[in-house]
């Protein structure tokens, strides 16, 4: 319910003029041009699942899922991805996220904004 109703209205990636403002905010904050967001992941410890439990064992030596978040220059979440097994890592989670798919298909980023640095 939360993902279906709240997230699409509350957590959304900026487009158009909003994206231009985010890019300007990042440049003012950290002198980094053409940055549409800051991306990072973390591990959330979980109880070992009964099926495929070993795939949830991360390098930090506990069972986990990955939570990957993107924020704007003010620290407001613009994208959240969660649920991948802890063993797969941040870069795999990003490569298979809706955020990456939308960037690649230029749903969110126009060609002049399109540059992904991982």
């Amino acid at each position: 319910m939360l993902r279906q109703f709240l997230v699409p209205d509350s957590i959304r990636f900026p487009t158009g003029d909003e994206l231009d403002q985010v890019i300007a905010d990042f440049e003012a904050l950290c002198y980094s041009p053409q940055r549409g967001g800051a991306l990072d992941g973390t591990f959330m410890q979980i109880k070992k699942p009964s099926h495929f439990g070993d795939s949830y064992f991360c390098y930090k030596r506990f069972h986990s899922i990955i939570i990957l978040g993107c924020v704007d220059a003010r620290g407001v979440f613009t994208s959240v991805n969660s649920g991948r097994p802890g063993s797969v890592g941040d870069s795999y989670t990003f490569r298979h996220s809706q955020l990456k798919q939308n960037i690649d298909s230029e749903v969110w980023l126009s060609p002049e904004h399109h540059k992904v640095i991982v």
Side-chain angles (χ1 to χ4, degrees):
M1 294 291 277
L2 181 67
R3 179 178 279 174
Q4 182 180 1
F5 295 107
L6 180 62
V7 172
D9 292 332
S10 301
I11 300 176
R12 57 184 185 74
F13 197 82
T15 58
D17 291 342
E18 289 178 335
L19 180 57
D20 291 337
Q21 185 60 54
V22 169
I23 290 170
D25 291 348
F26 267 114
E27 191 159 358
L29 179 68
C30 57
Y31 310 106
S32 182
Q34 296 300 311
R35 185 169 307 268
L39 184 70
D40 197 13
T42 190
F43 296 98
M44 185 167 89
Q45 191 168 1
I46 62 170
K47 183 177 175 182
K48 180 181 179 179
S50 57
H51 299 292
F52 308 107
D54 291 339
S55 66
Y56 288 84
F57 195 76
C58 70
Y59 77 93
K60 292 188 174 192
R61 307 188 55 78
F62 56 82
H63 292 89
S64 66
I65 60 171
I66 294 180
I67 299 173
L68 190 68
C70 184
V71 297
D72 65 15
R74 297 174 297 139
V76 175
F77 280 95
T78 57
S79 178
V80 176
N81 182 292
S82 64
R84 293 274 180 187
S87 65
V88 300
D90 289 356
S91 61
Y92 178 91
T93 301
F94 173 68
R95 285 193 314 269
H96 294 88
S97 70
Q98 190 66 46
L99 173 63
K100 176 79 164 80
Q101 291 173 20
N102 287 346
I103 291 170
D104 287 347
S105 66
E106 298 176 359
V107 168
W108 285 339
L109 297 178
S110 61
E112 64 268 12
H113 292 125
H114 190 173
K115 184 174 182 183
V116 176
I117 301 171
V118 178

